[in-house]
């Protein structure tokens, strides 16, 4: 299309993203390895998803941010519609309705929703009429609705992990937009007050159990605490340098559940040790800093958009790794760019493509 | 324009704060990783590489079985097993040598046990080398624990039967599930059973397996380098099986078993008002405790090869000619159908002529009799004529309405249906002589020939007559008790049908006539009279034609003795049927046994002052002989 654009791509951003994807492929080539076929089907598929993701990243890069801004509420609406669709037509996976089968592709609307919400909330917060001295209680009603609808729909699936991520992402964005201190305090107290009835009536038993076993995984080491204990052992046993490629005993003996998806970090930590884990965390840190840097150079909408996506990546990696190493409860959340799975990989690439679009635009259309 | 694009300084500073926050949070993760991987790395490496966390099964205790008054009939005791984990052992040879030296068992034997199961086990799966070890062995092994790496002592629940051989066939036994049965269950998607699991193999234990069986728990334990379990990391408790309350009365059951001692036979006691089985005895019996853990080969062989087949439940699966007890059916039919002989008298000359002579029991003849006198004296000649008048079709109708010829439907395995022939049956079974002949009915008129009954069928038949035509399914389990929740499921009596076609006075007439069998001067059941309680009934003597071991038995001995009694005649509360193989005449061979059961029943109700068999009083109620010291409730997961 246009050579100039290609030259103006933020190569640091793309480089970091691809580096993280390479770690993902490396880990999957070990954890998904099947001795019977001498290959890893997970690796092959993931490579395909990454290729699709890079394509999506580039396509998004070349779409102007103003276009994203224009369609933001529409994308948000589509996301909500799909969530409603899941209620009626969704496939049940793991006891919750999360998948929507569109014949050509099966996808998780909750992942689409994350991007939709970031776009919509970004556009709302970037309004020219936004209160200068921070949001008061009344000002928060509209954004409250924008956040509340998808969160409630996802919570009802039930997918506690994703619902919490949505709240954390949008909370971060609201804070970034500026909220009055009084309101912040008030929100804190209401959260505490609301937590009790939500705990009693809002949560399913297995969700409560997960939180309880997180508090004390030894309560139920064979049932709900099993994931927590086994992944802690896997991570710890990796030591400083790791057990080596394809040598993780916990991994290769399939002690870990969902070791390709939610618990993939434990495979990395077991086989590549503290060094491997630290490398990945550093890459994430630089990636987020780079996004902040890009955010600081854009217009208001671009800044909110970039910040929201940084928050999206950050919270999801923090909750995921926190759960793997036993400092947070076990919730079904993927590790950005690393966990195996098409929807997850592609939606992160697209999100980062939006950031890339911000970066390109800055250079090209100034 | 340019200015509008640049974000304000407040946001810029927020980005810096955000960067710091991200750094701080990631630092938390890094510190935690450093702690887990660098500081505690060796510990976790040990846990992971030596599989130091092991899953151990906690066996769920089976449900207990109690009698109608709540007395424990089957419960659990702790059984100590010596177990080893091959992966924890450096030198199996020397280890087994020490174990052999301590326990006094032979090393070769232990070695063979280990060998026999090695290829079926999973890694780190404990395997039993001494099952149900005695206390002395356990004490010695525990004292030498440090010298025996890889050896563990496990406690698992085993069945105990305080009354030993009481109701053995009825209660049934448990033993390890067979490979075939396991496969069968897995084929239908039942994954709850594993190799080595106990399963009910007969009687109540088999029928109520689903209720009695609990759900095994498991626990995660940390073991040390010698395979010793050091720390319990957590567990999922086992869920005990449900308890079962029987309709059985241990006192009646025992009175009947004592009375039948050294005889081969069966006793059934029913409550005619609801079908509850109060006693169900089959002798000879066997001590269930030999199955407590696993039965020894010699015991098993002896049991299987015993010619008297102690494991057969004669009360439900033994079929015999009914003898004269069938005359109750004929009497009922005669009255209900208004046959001439219901009111007319007939003369017994000592034989009955139809083609050939059929002899009466009394050679010189009974003289002139009416129906009541004929039943009382059990005159065959009178009933030959009565059966001819009745005809096979009506006879069949009444007999089958009272349950003969088909299983009673009691919930126990291997019940026989018995036989009661009709025209159809003859056609199918005698192709050379397919037509029903008048004389075919004559043997049946006195309970021989084309009919066969079980002791339970005779009891059910009599119960239906004396309760006025209500046909109940006999049942053994009153209540299922979930001890974990306290929930109780009560099993209601099942009224299968009521015989509305038969006029009520017919039942009353049979009861009155049957009373004279016991209380009349010439009655054949005189031995069953009780002071102050009116007993009714009917005796029977069934000819047994086969020879045993080619020896001709003396003619008295080759008959089976039958009696069925009920009391009190006005409002019967109990029906007892007794069969004694080769017991001779019904009145003398079976009567005294029925009497002892009745006595116990009314003694417990306070209607009788004494029992004729003083032995029975001594053994009455509650007192259980214990071999060892008393075993209370045992926690089964305390070996850590």
């Amino acid at each position: 299309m246009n050579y100039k654009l290609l030259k103006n791509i933020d190569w640091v951003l793309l480089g970091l993203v691809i580096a993280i994807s390479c770690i993902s492929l490396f880990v999957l080539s070990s954890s998904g390895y099947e001795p019977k076929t001498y290959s890893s089907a997970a690796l092959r598929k993931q490579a395909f998803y990454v290729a699709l993701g890079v394509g999506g990243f580039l396509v998004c890069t070349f779409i102007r941010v103003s276009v994203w801004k224009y369609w933001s509420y529409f994308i948000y609406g589509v996301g909500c519609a799909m969530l409603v669709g899941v209620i009626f037509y969704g496939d049940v996976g793991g006891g919750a309705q999360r998948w929507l089968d569109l014949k050509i592709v099966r996808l998780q609307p909750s992942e689409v929703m994350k991007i939709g919400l970031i776009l919509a909330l970004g556009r709302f917060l970037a309004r020219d009429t936004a209160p200068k001295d921070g949001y008061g209680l009344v000002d928060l009603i509209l954004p409250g609705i924008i956040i509340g609808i998808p969160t409630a729909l996802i919570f009802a699936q039930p997918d506690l992990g994703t619902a919490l991520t949505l709240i954390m992402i949008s909370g971060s964005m609201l804070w970034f937009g500026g909220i009055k201190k009084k309101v912040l305090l008030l929100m804190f107290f209401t959260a505490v007050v609301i937590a009790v009835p939500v705990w009693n009536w809002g949560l399913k038993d297995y969700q409560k159990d997960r939180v309880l076993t997180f508090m004390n995984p030894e309560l139920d080491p064979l049932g709900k605490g099993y994931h927590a204990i086994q992944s802690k052992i896997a991570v710890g046993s990796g030591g400083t340098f790791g057990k080596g490629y394809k040598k993780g005993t916990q991994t290769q003996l399939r002690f870990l559940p969902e070791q390709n998806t939610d618990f993939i970090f434990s495979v990395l930590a077991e086989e590549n040790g503290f060094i491997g884990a630290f490398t990945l965390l550093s890459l994430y840190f630089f990636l987020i800093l780079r996004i902040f840097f890009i955010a600081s150079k854009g217009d208001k909408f671009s800044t909110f958009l970039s910040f929201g996506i940084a928050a999206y990546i950050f919270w999801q990696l923090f909750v995921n790794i926190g759960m793997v190493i036993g400092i947070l409860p076990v919730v079904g959340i993927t590790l950005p760019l690393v966990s195996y799975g098409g929807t997850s990989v592609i939606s992160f690439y697209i999100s980062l493509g939006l950031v890339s679009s911000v970066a390109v635009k800055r250079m090209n259309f100034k | 324009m340019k200015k509008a694009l640049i974000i304000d300084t407040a946001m810029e500073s927020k980005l810096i704060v955000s960067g710091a926050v991200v750094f701080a949070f990631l630092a938390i993760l890094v510190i935690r990783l450093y702690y887990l991987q660098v500081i505690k790395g060796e510990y976790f490496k040990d846990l992971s590489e030596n599989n130091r966390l092991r899953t151990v099964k906690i066996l769920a205790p089976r449900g207990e079985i109690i009698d109608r008054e709540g007395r424990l009939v089957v419960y659990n005791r702790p059984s100590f097993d010596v177990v080893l984990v091959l992966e924890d052992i450096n030198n199996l040879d020397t280890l087994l040598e020490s174990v052999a030296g301590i326990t006094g068992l032979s090393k070769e034997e232990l070695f063979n046990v280990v060998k026999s199961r090695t290829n079926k086990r999973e890694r780190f799966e404990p395997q039993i080398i001494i099952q149900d070890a005695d206390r002395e062995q356990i004490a010695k092994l525990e004292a030498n624990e440090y010298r025996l790496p890889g050896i563990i002592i496990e406690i698992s629940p085993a069945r105990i039967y305080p009354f030993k051989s009481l109701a053995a066939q009825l209660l049934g036994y448990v033993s390890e599930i067979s490979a075939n049965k396991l496969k069968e269950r897995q084929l239908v998607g039942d994954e709850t059973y594993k190799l080595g699991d106990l399963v009910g193999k007969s009687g109540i234990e088999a029928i109520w397996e689903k209720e009695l069986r609990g759900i095994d728990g498991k626990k995660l334990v940390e073991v040390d380098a010698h395979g010793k379990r050091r720390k319990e990391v957590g567990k999922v408790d086992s869920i005990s099986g449900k308890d079962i309350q029987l309709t059985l009365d241990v006192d009646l059951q025992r009175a009947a078993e004592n009375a039948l001692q050294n005889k081969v036979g069966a006793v059934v006691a029913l409550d005619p008002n609801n079908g509850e089985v109060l006693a169900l005895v089959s002798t000879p019996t066997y001590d269930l405790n030999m199955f407590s853990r696993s039965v020894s080969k010699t015991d098993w062989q002896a049991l299987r090869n015993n010619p008297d087949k102690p494991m057969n439940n004669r009360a439900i699966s033994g079929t015999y000619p009914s003898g004269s007890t069938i005359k109750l059916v004929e009497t009922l039919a005669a009255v209900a159908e208004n046959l001439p002989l219901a009111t007319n008298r007939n003369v017994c000359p000592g034989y009955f002529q139809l083609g050939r002579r059929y002899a009466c029991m009394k050679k010189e003849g009974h003289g002139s009799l009416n129906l009541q006198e004929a039943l009382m004296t059990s005159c065959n000649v009178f009933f030959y004529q009565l059966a001819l008048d009745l005809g096979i079709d009506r006879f069949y109708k009444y007999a089958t309405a009272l349950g003969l010829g088909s299983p009673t439907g009691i919930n126990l395995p291997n019940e026989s249906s018995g036989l009661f022939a009709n025209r159809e049956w003859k056609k199918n079974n005698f192709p050379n002589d397919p037509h029903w002949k008048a004389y075919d009915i004559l043997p049946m008129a006195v309970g021989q020939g084309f009919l066969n009954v079980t002791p339970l069928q005779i009891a059910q038949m009599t119960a239906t007559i004396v309760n006025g035509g209500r046909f109940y399914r006999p049942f053994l389990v009153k209540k299922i008790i979930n001890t974990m929740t306290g929930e109780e499921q009560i099993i209601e009596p099942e009224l299968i049908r009521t015989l509305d076609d038969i006029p009520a006075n017919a039942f009353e007439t049979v009861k009155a006539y049957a009373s004279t069998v016991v209380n009349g001067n010439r009655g054949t059941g005189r031995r069953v009279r009780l002071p102050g309680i009116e007993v009714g009934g009917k005796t029977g003597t069934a000819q047994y034609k086969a020879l045993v071991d080619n020896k001709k038995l003396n003619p008295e001995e080759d008959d089976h003795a039958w009696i069925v009694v009920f009391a009190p005649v006005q409002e019967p509360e109990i029906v007892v049927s007794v069969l004694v193989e080769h017991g001779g005449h019904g009145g003398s061979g079976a009567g005294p046994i029925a009497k002892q059961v009745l006595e116990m029943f009314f003694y417990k109700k306070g209607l009788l002052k004494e029992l004729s068999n003083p032995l029975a009083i001594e053994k009455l109620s509650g007192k259980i002989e214990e071999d060892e010291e008393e075993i209370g409730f045992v926690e089964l997961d305390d070996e850590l």
Side-chain angles (χ1 to χ4, degrees):
Chain A
M1 185 169 58
N2 155 346
Y3 167 76
K4 234 180 186 173
L5 267 177
L6 214 60
K7 212 177 76 181
N8 287 334
I9 281 183
D10 191 327
W11 288 104
V12 178
L13 181 75
L14 186 57
L16 284 167
V17 172
I18 287 176
I20 293 174
S21 276
C22 286
I23 291 187
S24 164
L25 295 175
F26 175 70
V27 174
L28 279 172
S29 74
S30 167
S31 75
Y33 183 75
E34 285 145 32
K36 277 180 198 156
T37 57
Y38 299 103
S39 67
S40 165
L43 170 67
R44 282 199 306 275
K45 284 190 186 165
Q46 185 81 343
F48 174 66
Y49 298 144
V50 169
L52 277 183
V54 173
F57 179 93
L58 293 175
V59 169
C60 292
T61 305
F62 300 142
I63 296 172
R64 291 182 196 179
V65 177
S66 54
V67 176
W68 288 114
K69 187 173 175 182
Y70 180 80
W71 289 102
S72 56
Y73 287 145
F74 178 75
I75 295 171
Y76 171 85
V78 169
C80 287
M82 279 161 72
L83 283 177
V84 174
V86 166
I87 295 174
F88 296 108
Y89 305 109
D91 284 1
V92 175
Q97 295 185 318
R98 292 179 189 176
W99 294 85
L100 198 59
D101 196 342
L102 298 180
K103 300 300 166 204
I104 312 158
V105 283
R106 248 166 67 91
L107 51 80
Q108 280 182 286
S110 53
E111 295 295 333
V112 179
M113 194 62 240
K114 283 175 191 163
I115 300 176
L117 179 63
I118 292 169
L119 283 168
L121 201 57
R123 176 163 171 188
F124 180 84
L125 294 172
R127 286 168 312 151
D128 293 334
T129 53
K132 293 275 177 303
D133 51 345
Y135 286 79
L137 259 189
V138 180
D139 308 319
L140 281 173
I141 292 174
L142 260 175
I145 293 170
I146 294 176
I147 300 163
I149 292 171
T151 308
L153 285 171
I154 289 171
F155 186 79
Q157 282 184 354
D159 184 351
L160 181 63
T162 307
L164 283 177
T165 329
L166 280 190
I167 290 176
M168 287 192 283
I169 295 167
S170 38
S172 306
M173 288 177 78
L174 282 180
W175 166 81
F176 192 64
I179 293 177
K180 284 180 178 159
K181 277 206 182 100
K182 270 188 281 179
V183 178
L184 269 178
L185 274 175
L186 187 75
M187 281 167 79
F188 177 75
F189 284 115
T190 17
V192 173
V193 172
I194 284 175
V196 176
V198 166
W199 175 263
N200 281 338
W201 298 293
L203 293 188
K204 303 257 162 164
D205 278 344
Y206 82 91
Q207 293 170 330
K208 281 192 210 176
D209 284 340
R210 278 193 180 164
V211 179
L212 285 178
T213 37
F214 156 66
M215 311 281 188
N216 185 4
E218 277 73 17
L219 262 185
D220 183 6
L222 295 152
K224 296 130 203 155
Y226 182 85
H227 296 203
I229 291 179
Q230 292 296 350
S231 88
K232 217 164 79 177
I233 293 174
V235 171
S237 64
T240 311
F241 301 104
K243 295 176 184 167
Y245 180 64
K246 282 187 193 162
K247 294 213 175 94
T249 50
Q250 297 280 105
T251 305
Q252 302 300 337
L253 295 175
R254 302 288 187 269
F255 262 101
L256 288 170
E258 314 194 32
Q259 59 179 12
N260 289 342
T261 53
D262 294 356
F263 280 86
I264 194 162
F265 186 79
S266 64
V267 180
L268 171 79
E270 183 184 21
E271 298 194 340
N272 304 292
F274 179 71
I275 302 292
F278 185 78
T279 307
L280 180 64
L281 285 174
S282 308
L283 286 173
Y284 277 130
F285 182 59
F286 292 131
L287 176 66
I288 290 164
L289 284 192
R290 184 70 192 172
I291 300 173
F292 284 164
F293 173 74
I294 293 167
S296 70
K297 305 292 184 202
D299 65 12
K300 232 179 165 185
F301 171 71
S302 304
T303 309
F304 276 111
L305 178 62
S306 307
F307 183 84
I309 285 160
Y312 172 26
I313 292 170
F314 169 70
W315 284 121
Q316 204 148 331
L317 88 88
F318 181 75
V319 172
N320 177 282
I321 296 177
M323 125 190 135
V324 169
I325 62 179
I327 57 173
L328 288 174
V330 175
V331 286
I333 274 189
T334 54
L335 185 59
L337 299 168
V338 179
S339 283
Y340 168 77
T343 320
S344 170
V345 167
I346 292 167
S347 53
F348 277 110
Y349 265 100
I350 287 179
S351 319
L352 288 158
L354 300 184
V355 179
S356 170
S357 154
V358 171
V360 165
K361 180 188 162 280
R362 167 174 57 86
M363 297 175 193
N364 215 27
F365 301 102
K366 206 187 298 188
Chain B
M1 182 65 192
K2 210 175 176 183
K3 216 177 178 193
L5 283 172
I6 307 289
I7 57 166
D8 53 44
T9 48
M11 283 176 109
E12 209 154 54
S13 61
K14 270 182 183 164
L15 280 176
I16 293 167
V17 171
S18 303
V21 168
V22 168
F23 182 80
F25 274 67
L26 292 182
I28 294 174
L29 296 183
V30 170
I31 290 168
R32 172 73 175 173
L33 280 167
Y34 186 83
Y35 170 77
L36 287 179
Q37 299 192 287
V38 181
I39 298 179
K40 298 271 276 185
E42 286 304 310
Y43 167 75
F44 283 115
K45 208 173 213 164
D46 192 45
L47 278 186
S48 77
E49 279 172 11
N50 296 315
N51 204 299
R52 283 293 155 70
L53 284 186
R54 307 247 177 102
T55 314
V56 180
K57 208 167 169 181
I58 305 172
L59 293 171
R62 257 178 109 77
E64 297 176 336
I65 303 178
I66 56 179
D67 87 335
R68 65 184 295 119
E69 290 174 10
R71 285 167 288 190
L72 279 170
V73 181
V74 184
Y75 60 101
N76 302 302
R77 67 176 172 86
S79 152
F80 296 89
D81 298 331
V82 181
V83 164
L84 60 75
V85 177
L86 271 183
E87 281 76 6
D88 292 330
I89 293 161
N90 296 325
N91 192 333
L92 184 65
D93 214 47
T94 50
L95 179 81
L96 289 184
E97 204 167 299
S98 339
V99 173
I102 291 165
T103 56
L105 296 166
S106 95
K107 187 186 136 193
E108 283 67 36
E109 210 175 291
L110 292 175
F111 198 76
N112 288 335
V113 175
V114 175
K115 261 285 175 75
S116 69
R117 284 200 176 169
T118 25
N119 45 9
K120 284 182 200 152
R121 59 192 286 283
E122 285 171 26
R123 288 187 69 211
F124 293 102
E125 187 187 319
Q127 66 181 117
I128 296 175
I129 55 166
I130 307 173
Q131 204 172 52
D132 212 356
D134 63 48
R135 282 164 192 229
E136 201 181 334
Q137 289 173 332
I138 294 299
K140 282 182 183 163
L141 284 170
E142 274 178 345
N144 288 292
E145 205 192 356
Y146 64 98
R147 290 206 294 134
L148 306 168
I151 290 280
I152 303 160
I153 289 157
E154 275 186 351
I155 307 177
S156 50
R159 278 312 213 195
I160 185 164
Y161 307 89
F163 297 101
K164 293 174 182 161
S165 62
L166 189 95
Q169 305 89 348
L170 169 87
L171 296 170
Y173 64 95
V174 293
S175 70
E176 279 186 21
I177 190 163
S178 69
N180 284 339
K181 276 270 182 293
L182 191 66
K183 216 176 270 166
E184 262 172 50
R185 284 190 185 270
Q186 281 164 353
L187 276 181
V188 295
D190 180 0
E191 297 284 346
T192 51
Y193 286 84
K194 306 242 151 38
L195 209 65
D197 278 5
L198 294 178
V199 65
K201 287 280 176 75
S202 66
I204 298 278
E205 293 268 26
I207 294 287
W208 299 89
E209 167 73 13
K210 227 177 78 203
E211 284 72 20
L212 288 167
R213 184 179 154 84
I215 300 169
D216 290 339
K218 49 189 175 173
K219 62 185 165 186
L220 198 63
V221 290
E222 208 179 302
V223 297
D224 65 14
H226 303 297
K228 301 289 179 201
R229 295 167 189 171
R230 287 297 172 224
K231 199 173 116 194
E232 186 178 299
V233 187
K235 70 174 174 185
V236 179
D237 281 319
S238 63
I239 298 169
S240 354
K242 292 173 185 156
D243 289 356
I244 280 181
Q245 180 166 33
L246 301 176
T247 58
L248 217 64
D249 183 324
V250 164
D251 297 321
L252 286 193
Q253 180 81 14
R254 200 153 39 171
E257 284 190 15
N258 284 338
L260 260 180
Q261 228 158 38
N262 306 321
K263 298 189 179 82
V264 176
V267 176
V268 175
L270 289 182
D271 182 338
N273 299 308
N274 53 22
E276 285 184 2
V277 177
L278 304 173
L280 193 103
V281 176
S282 175
T283 56
T285 173
Y286 60 97
D287 188 349
L288 280 168
N289 287 305
M290 72 171 81
F291 287 97
S292 180
R293 197 56 213 272
S294 68
V295 65
S296 75
K297 228 176 198 149
T298 48
D299 281 348
W300 178 246
Q301 291 296 344
L303 208 50
R304 294 304 295 253
N305 296 334
N306 186 331
D308 284 331
K309 305 234 177 290
M311 296 179 82
N312 278 10
N313 192 344
R314 291 179 158 73
I316 60 161
S317 25
T319 53
Y320 307 87
S322 71
S324 298
T325 53
I326 197 72
K327 289 173 184 165
L328 290 173
V329 179
E330 293 164 282
T331 308
L332 181 74
V335 178
E337 298 284 331
N338 259 320
L339 295 187
L341 279 182
T343 43
N344 296 353
R345 300 185 76 83
N346 198 17
V347 173
C348 166
Y351 62 87
F352 186 79
Q353 187 85 34
L354 187 82
R356 69 176 184 85
R357 279 189 175 189
Y358 295 82
C360 192
M361 287 161 24
K362 201 173 176 186
K363 284 200 181 80
E364 60 275 26
H366 289 95
S368 170
L369 297 157
N370 63 13
L371 179 55
Q372 176 260 312
E373 289 160 343
L375 187 71
M376 177 174 76
T377 57
S378 202
C379 173
N380 285 355
V381 172
F382 188 95
F383 280 96
Y384 286 138
Q385 186 58 52
L386 192 154
L388 281 178
D389 294 352
L390 188 62
I392 184 62
D393 297 328
R394 285 192 286 184
F395 195 4
Y396 179 80
K397 190 184 102 187
Y398 280 88
T400 50
L402 292 167
L404 301 187
S406 48
T408 65
I410 189 172
N411 201 354
L412 279 180
N414 303 322
E415 191 188 1
S416 302
S417 59
L419 166 70
F420 198 94
N422 58 4
R423 291 175 199 276
E424 180 94 19
W425 181 87
K426 175 124 191 245
K427 201 158 56 185
N428 295 336
N429 287 276
F430 290 85
N432 298 327
D433 180 19
H435 294 291
W436 189 267
K437 302 279 165 50
Y439 54 74
D440 284 332
I441 206 171
L442 293 183
M444 295 173 73
V446 296
Q448 302 287 149
F450 303 150
L451 62 82
N452 257 325
V453 298
T454 67
L456 179 62
Q457 282 176 327
I458 289 298
Q460 186 193 32
M461 166 194 101
T462 310
T464 309
I465 294 172
V466 303
N467 72 19
R470 284 169 296 143
F471 189 84
Y472 284 100
R473 185 193 300 278
F475 68 107
L476 273 163
V477 173
K478 266 176 104 90
K479 214 191 268 180
I480 296 162
I481 305 150
N482 185 336
T483 43
M484 311 280 284
T485 62
E487 252 173 83
E488 292 188 349
Q489 183 196 337
I490 289 166
I491 293 168
E492 301 291 343
E494 188 188 338
L495 182 61
I496 296 175
R497 56 177 176 262
T498 49
L499 312 183
D500 295 324
D501 298 346
I502 303 172
N505 76 302
F507 295 114
E508 288 305 315
T509 308
V510 179
K511 271 162 69 178
Y513 291 0
S515 172
T516 65
V517 172
V518 174
N519 302 302
N521 284 336
R522 288 188 288 156
T524 53
R526 294 189 301 273
R527 282 184 168 84
V528 198
R529 283 181 196 167
L530 287 180
I533 295 153
E534 192 186 350
V535 180
K538 184 70 196 85
T539 58
T541 308
Q543 279 165 23
Y544 177 75
K545 288 163 198 146
L547 303 177
V548 176
D549 293 342
N550 276 330
K551 270 183 284 176
K552 208 169 194 165
L553 298 158
N554 85 52
E556 273 294 305
E557 249 180 31
D558 75 359
D559 290 340
H560 295 322
W562 271 109
I563 195 165
V564 57
V565 294
F566 57 94
V569 170
Q570 292 316 312
E571 297 283 332
E573 291 167 20
I574 183 170
V575 169
V576 181
S577 72
V578 177
L579 170 98
V580 182
E581 287 188 13
H582 315 302
H585 281 301
S588 56
I593 294 162
K595 184 177 180 181
Q596 286 190 34
V597 178
L598 285 183
E599 275 182 337
M600 180 58 81
F601 183 78
F602 289 107
Y603 180 83
K604 288 187 72 181
K605 282 187 164 286
L607 295 171
L608 272 186
K609 290 280 174 300
E610 52 184 349
L611 299 172
S612 55
N613 181 0
L615 250 176
I617 308 175
E618 221 171 276
K619 290 202 171 177
L620 180 70
S621 245
K623 197 101 173 71
I624 299 165
E625 309 145 59
E626 286 268 12
D627 283 343
E628 295 169 89
E629 72 263 41
E630 195 155 325
I631 300 159
F633 176 75
V634 179
E635 282 281 357
L636 290 158
D637 42 41
D638 53 5
E639 78 254 37
L640 279 165

